């Protein structure tokens, strides 16, 4: 019988350094993304506007005001969050002694054919949830204008930022919450309390932090984001990688920002105000449908959810270089 390697959530147990270094890595990563990166990211904006004669105080207002966002502010937000990718890679490499590619999947890298399939499945699930939401009562709080906003220069700039930087931001959030945090929490919990507790905490803790990271919000919005985080965590468990979560996250943000720009304003998407609990049924339906579709497709495509011991060198935590491994070889999903 072929030996199975560790699941995605426990990959740091195979690292050459103590798994408890995650207790240091988690605050380092959160502090880097939400404290250090925002401060450092203002520097190029200050230099750019300073060269144009814009005062520093006005520049900071332009790039950090999300209550009345500009394309520059959205770019600043996306680029700041995008630092989660190199920072998480750096922690895995320097702190744990593993190659950063193990954050992508158990293969270890992004499985692009599987990612493309997940994009298609997320479109189907989202379409169903939109239809359902139009049939539900109590949608007044989220009602938007039925008329398209005029196409302006500012809207063009917003669309360019959304098109080129939103996928990076969405992927970065997955690498942060479903990548490093999931592996760190899952590996430590598995070591301390066993497999079941490790799986539960690997999903629940990053989902809670993901919802909290969005700041002040109403109870329905918080629940919606927590549910999104739980779904993404479960997707990691059943697929062994971040591809499904990234696909769903990118599409979700494209639709949210696109509808806001077309019928409302971007501030409404970045800072959801009043919301009713009637938003939850469509979320639950989309969540369960996408989960079922991904589970079915992963089994049909033979997507691996555990690492191949021949690829994962447990003694060093580094990748065994082999170009002959098939892209979606699996021990069973």
């Amino acid at each position: 019988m072929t030996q199975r390697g560790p699941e995605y959530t426990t990959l740091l147990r195979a690292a050459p350094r103590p798994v408890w270094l995650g207790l240091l890595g988690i605050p380092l990563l959160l502090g880097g993304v939400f404290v250090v990166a925002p401060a450092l990211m203002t520097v190029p904006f200050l230099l750019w506007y300073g060269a144009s004669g814009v005062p520093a105080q006005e520049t900071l207002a332009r790039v950090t005001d999300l209550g009345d966002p500009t394309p520059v502010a959205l770019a600043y937000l996306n680029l700041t969050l995008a630092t989660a990718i190199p920072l998480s890679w750096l922690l895995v490499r320097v702190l744990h002694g593993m190659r950063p590619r193990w954050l992508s999947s158990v293969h270890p890298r992004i499985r692009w054919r599987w990612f493309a399939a997940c994009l298609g499945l997320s479109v189907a699930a989202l379409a169903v949830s939109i239809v359902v939401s139009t049939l539900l009562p109590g949608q007044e709080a989220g009602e938007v204008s039925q008329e398209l906003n005029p196409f302006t220069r500012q809207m063009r700039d917003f669309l360019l930022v959304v098109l080129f930087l939103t996928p990076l931001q969405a992927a970065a959030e997955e690498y942060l919450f479903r990548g490093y945090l999931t592996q760190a929490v899952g590996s430590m919990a598995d070591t301390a309390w066993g497999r079941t507790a490790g799986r539960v905490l690997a999903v629940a803790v990053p989902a809670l932090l993901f919802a909290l990271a969005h700041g002040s919000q109403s109870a329905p919005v918080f629940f919606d984001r927590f549910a999104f985080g739980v779904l993404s965590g479960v997707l990691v468990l059943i697929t062994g990688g971040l591809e499904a979560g990234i696909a769903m996250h990118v599409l979700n943000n494209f639709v949210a920002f696109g509808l806001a720009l077309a019928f409302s304003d971007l501030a409404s998407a970045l800072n959801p105000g009043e919301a009713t609990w009637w938003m939850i049924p469509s979320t639950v339906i989309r969540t369960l449908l996408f989960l079922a579709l991904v589970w079915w497709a992963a089994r049909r495509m033979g997507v691996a959810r555990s690492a191949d011991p021949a690829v994962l060198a447990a003694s060093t935590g580094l990748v065994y270089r082999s170009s002959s491994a098939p892209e979606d070889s699996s021990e069973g999903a």
Side-chain angles (χ1 to χ4, degrees):
M1 181 176 180
T2 305
Q3 181 184 3
R4 295 184 60 180
E7 296 179 344
Y8 181 91
T9 57
T10 59
L11 278 172
L12 290 184
R13 294 196 65 183
R17 296 168 190 166
V19 70
W20 303 108
L21 285 173
L23 292 173
L24 175 61
I26 291 174
L28 280 176
L29 182 56
L30 293 176
V33 174
F34 295 110
V35 179
V36 178
L40 293 180
M41 195 60 66
T42 61
V43 173
F45 289 93
L46 286 170
L47 293 175
W48 174 266
Y49 280 113
S52 304
V54 179
Q57 186 175 358
E58 183 180 340
T59 297
L60 289 176
R62 288 187 183 184
V63 301
T64 61
D65 183 9
L66 297 181
D68 184 19
T70 62
V72 171
L74 182 61
Y76 166 80
L77 175 65
N78 285 345
L79 290 172
T80 298
L81 291 174
T83 61
I85 297 178
L87 288 176
S88 61
W89 286 348
L90 182 65
L91 276 177
V92 167
R93 180 61 163 166
V94 175
L95 193 63
H96 298 278
M98 293 186 73
R99 295 255 177 109
R101 65 184 70 178
W102 287 105
L103 280 178
S104 298
S105 76
V106 296
H107 184 65
R109 60 181 174 84
I110 290 290
R111 298 163 291 189
W112 291 107
R113 186 166 68 93
W114 172 235
F115 174 75
C118 290
L119 273 178
L121 298 177
S122 64
V123 170
L126 183 64
V128 171
S129 71
I130 290 175
V131 172
V132 170
S133 67
T134 63
L135 303 176
L136 295 173
Q139 300 300 308
E140 293 82 4
E143 191 174 358
V144 296
S145 170
Q146 299 301 309
E147 297 183 2
L148 281 171
N149 291 327
F151 186 82
T152 63
R153 179 178 178 180
Q154 185 181 59
M155 179 180 285
R156 179 205 64 189
D157 293 343
F158 269 129
L159 289 173
L160 289 174
V161 173
V162 169
L163 179 63
F164 291 106
L165 295 184
T166 291
L168 190 61
Q169 165 260 321
E173 291 188 18
E174 292 305 306
Y175 271 94
L176 169 59
F177 293 102
R178 261 65 66 178
Y180 183 79
L181 292 187
T182 290
Q183 288 190 0
V185 172
S187 296
M188 290 188 293
D190 183 271
T191 301
W193 300 299
R195 184 180 184 186
T196 300
R199 285 179 166 182
V200 171
L201 291 176
V203 171
V205 173
L208 178 61
L209 293 175
F210 173 76
L212 291 173
H214 286 82
S216 177
Q217 53 204 302
S218 65
V221 174
F222 178 86
F223 181 86
D224 184 76
R225 286 166 172 167
F226 178 73
F228 184 95
V230 170
L231 168 64
S232 297
V234 173
L235 289 173
V236 168
L237 283 176
I238 66 176
T239 66
L242 301 179
E243 297 92 348
I246 293 175
M248 180 180 64
H249 204 150
V250 169
L251 182 66
N252 181 77
N253 287 7
F254 270 159
V255 171
F257 291 154
L259 290 177
L261 288 172
F263 298 103
S264 180
D265 60 85
L266 202 63
S268 64
L270 293 172
N271 309 285
E274 292 295 324
T276 73
W277 288 101
W278 282 108
M279 69 183 293
I280 303 304
S282 62
T283 296
V284 171
I285 290 173
R286 180 177 74 245
T287 295
L288 295 180
L289 178 58
F290 186 64
L291 186 62
L293 289 173
V294 167
W295 179 80
W296 169 80
R299 291 178 63 88
R300 288 292 300 268
M301 295 176 65
V303 175
R305 67 181 183 189
S306 59
D308 185 346
V311 178
L312 176 66
S315 61
T316 62
L318 301 181
V319 177
Y320 174 75
R321 297 182 179 178
S322 171
S323 60
S324 61
E327 176 176 330
D328 290 318
S329 62
S330 173
E331 191 57 37

